[in-house]
Amino acid sequence: MSDNAKTLDDAAYSLALPRNYYRFRCVDAEEAKTKNGHRMLKFKLEIIPRDANTATEVNGIKVDGLQVYANSVVSEKAVNFHNQVRSAFGLPKIEAHETEQSQAIQFKGLECFALAQGTNEPDKTSSGELIMDPYTGKPRMVTKREIVEFAPRPE
């Protein structure tokens, strides 16, 4: 965990991240398989300041250190999307027959820009009923954050 994450304001965890471009650092990357058995890279990304002197704020809340998870399928069919991810991190593109050359370790510590967003939604049971907080009697809220699109670097 970075120093930013240690000092992250509690309010940031329940913030619905506005749809915008944020700067991220890959703090972890690992190999995985999709449900269909395809190779996939899973990323743990952390929002970082756009520059050394300016914290990233949303509605007055510092969000540097907030984590977002993303993944990229690494297959011949998905090579165009995966190359967009590679480009965003400053890595060279690969050809469809070179997918084995793309390894999770290559991404760790690299930085990129990505379009991200978040939502706050009421939590529901598997049958669709609202889950109520036992102490407040109000619906339990779930905060979700996602990468919408990685921003490829100009060629």
Side-chain angles (χ1 to χ4, degrees), residues 85-149:
V85 175
R86 289 180 62 84
S87 173
F89 282 103
L91 294 170
K93 292 182 179 181
I94 58 172
E95 298 294 324
H97 65 278
E98 301 173 317
T99 57
E100 289 303 315
Q101 292 180 17
S102 195
Q103 302 294 320
I105 192 71
Q106 295 173 310
F107 293 84
K108 208 167 180 183
L110 298 182
E111 298 175 1
C112 73
F113 281 95
L115 183 61
Q117 68 185 14
T119 58
N120 283 330
E121 300 171 352
D123 200 2
K124 296 181 180 176
T125 65
S126 54
S127 61
E129 298 173 31
L130 288 178
I131 296 176
M132 305 305 281
D133 184 302
Y135 298 106
T136 66
K138 295 180 182 177
R140 179 181 183 279
M141 300 301 285
V142 176
T143 303
K144 297 179 182 179
R145 292 179 290 277
E146 66 178 342
I147 299 295
V148 176
E149 177 183 61

Side-chain angles (χ1 to χ4, degrees), residues 20-80:
N20 204 346
Y21 282 101
Y22 297 90
R23 187 172 176 205
F24 290 93
R25 176 181 301 115
C26 181
V27 295
D28 197 16
E30 64 182 36
E31 303 271 340
K33 294 276 186 189
T34 67
K35 291 177 184 175
N36 295 331
H38 296 290
R39 194 164 153 257
M40 173 174 66
L41 301 181
K42 295 172 71 173
F43 305 107
K44 182 195 290 187
L45 307 173
E46 177 178 85
I47 296 176
I48 60 173
R50 285 182 180 257
D51 61 62
N53 301 319
T54 309
T56 310
E57 290 191 9
V58 173
N59 301 328
I61 300 169
K62 292 180 183 175
V63 295
D64 292 326
L66 198 61
Q67 294 180 345
V68 179
Y69 296 86
N71 58 55
S72 178
V73 174
V74 185
S75 70
E76 288 187 20
K77 287 184 178 180
V79 75
N80 288 337

